[in-house]
Structures are given as C-alpha cells and as structure tokens.
Amino acid sequence: MSWMRPLGNTGLQVSALGLGTVKLGRDQVVKYPGSFTIPDERSAAALLAQARDLGINLIDTAPAYGNSEERLGKLLAGQRSDWLICSKVGEEFEAGQSRFDFSPEHTRQSVQRSLRRLDTAVIDIVLVHSDGNDLRIIREMGTLQALEQMKQEGLIRAFGMSSKTVEGGLAAAAVSDVVMLTYNLDSQEELPVLDACASLGVGALIKKALASGHLAREYPDPVQASMDLLFAHPATSAAIVGTITPAHLQANVEAVRRIVG
Ligand SMILES: NC(=O)c1ccc[n+]([C@@H]2O[C@H](COP(=O)([O-])OP(=O)(O)OC[C@H]3O[C@@H](n4cnc5c(N)ncnc54)[C@H](OP(=O)(O)O)[C@@H]3O)[C@@H](O)[C@H]2O)c1
C-alpha cells in the first residue's frame, strides 16, 4: 500500500486522504457534534496549502455544500493541476433546505455550473449526490448515463455515485468508475460495496470516516482506529475527511501514513 494510489481503473492517482469541504461552505443543517465558524479566506487558503504540503491531492465538494465550489474556484487558482476535484450532482441546498433533481437536463446544467464555479475546464470526478433512493436513481433517472456522456465529451474524467444503501452501492459499482460510501467504526453495513469495488476495479472513496466527528470514545486513539479499519480493506482508495482544524488535518495524515507509509 502506498500514499498515492489508483482510483480503481480510472487512471487517476489519489492521495490516501482527501479533504472534505462541507465546512468551507455550509454551516446550516449539518450533523457535526459542535457548532463552528466557516473559515475566512485566509484560513481556508492556509488549510489548502497545509493539505497540499502534506501530500493531499484530492478535494471533495458539491453544489449542496453552500458556496464551497465557488470558494474552491478562487482558492485553487494557480494550483489547479495539483488537485483532483470531486464534485456532485443532484442535490441543491437553498434557504436551509435540500432539493433533489436527478434528471439528465439538470445533471448537465449542474456540471456546467460546477465547471464555472470551480473555474476549471474539466472536473476529475462527478458523483450523484443521492437522496437515499439509490436504486430508483440508477434504474429510472438516467443520471449516470448523462454523466457518462459528459465523460465522453471530456467535461469530466470519471463518474459514479455517493450512495446511501448497500443495494445502491452495489448497483452503482456495476456501472460506474467510482463509488463514495459510508464506512467507519460505527457503521460497516456497506462492507459488501467495498468488496464489490475491489472485484470490479471501481474506485472507493470513504465518506464519514470519522462518523462526522462523533468519534468512538471507547478507542484510546479513535482516529487511528478509524483509519486502521478503512485501510485494512484493499478496495479503499481514499478516505475523504472533513476538517477545518489544522491540527486535525495533521493528525489525520499522520494516522494514515502510519498505515500506508
Ligand atoms: N452524501 C455525500 O456525498 C456526503 C455525505 C457526507 C459527507 N460527504 C463528504 O465526506 C466528507 C467527510 O464527511 P463528514 O464531514 O460528514 O465526516 P467526517 O470526515 O467523518 O468528520 C468530520 C468531522 O470530524 C472532525 N474531525 C476531523 N478530524 C478530526 C480529528 N483528527 N480529531 C477530532 N475530530 C476530527 C471535524 O471537525 P474539525 O473541522 O474541527 O476537524 C468534523 O466535524 C465531507 O466533508 C464531504 O466532503 C459526502
């Protein structure tokens, strides 16, 4: 195992730890244990510089993360080639509420808007931001097909789904490049999805690796225990951990490097 690793069969090489950016853009209707203040430009720039210096090349955002995409567009100016950007389609978050649209038309408009907001000609990974009805989206909505078409057009490099169910994750793995799934010390129901990613050569990105900050206190070092669990599975491409605290970022990288070198 190594720090830089293939994202399934996409040809992309990701760092074992990615940076989640919900907290760079949204502080409403979030499930974190404590309240927080969205970092200002200077702190956000310093966080990204720290992440880059620590060897992180993967950053995860979404239209539903407030102004995260717009902020990244500005913050990554001049360093776009150092990063792989993962964004999403399907969920919109407006006036404190989520709204979902998985239609091919909205999917295309959303990717075009993300390209503008991120100030880039191509997005490395675009995932369907599921509302929980994974199978219905995959079978009836045409969202993944729309993303596949945009991949052929060169607007995105890889596509897949951020799934919420085992059945959905398995179905997504069968027809996508990448699946983002929940897997942590509290929640291992989606293990079969990781197994499927391994056998199909699909990239597996782990969300909520630290259970959204609700750390399992029964472990002497819950961050290390979380990373040990994730990286014991051969399919894990990267853990996307959300943090705006520099000391946490450092600790998370150290925990992963203790495993992968
Ligand atoms: N449906 C979807 O597609 C979906 C859903 C959820 C998440 N995601 C993606 O996955 C990312 C991660 O998920 P998440 O943010 O829900 O959960 P997470 O990464 O499991 O946890 C983030 C929380 O853990 C805290 N934390 C991070 N490192 C820590 C450390 N070393 N010690 C103590 N606390 C620590 C953070 O606080 P500090 O900021 O203070 O460090 C933050 O509140 C998101 O940012 C997003 O990019 C996607």
Side-chain angles (χ1 to χ4, degrees), residues 19-23 32-33 60-61 65 88 91 127-130 162-164 180 184 206-215 217 223 240-245 247-249 251-252:
L19 183 64
T21 65
V22 175
K23 289 171 111 177
Y32 300 112
D60 182 67
T61 183
Y65 299 167
K88 314 210 180 64
E91 179 175 353
L127 305 176
V128 180
H129 211 157
S130 175
S162 177
S163 55
K164 291 198 170 178
M180 183 182 278
N184 59 46
I206 309 296
K207 61 186 169 186
K208 305 184 189 180
L210 301 178
S212 297
H214 301 274
L215 293 170
R217 294 286 167 207
V223 170
I240 307 287
V241 177
T243 183
I244 52 171
T245 305
H248 288 167
L249 181 58
N252 298 340

Side-chain angles (χ1 to χ4, degrees), residues 149 168 177 216:
Q149 175 65 33
D177 304 314

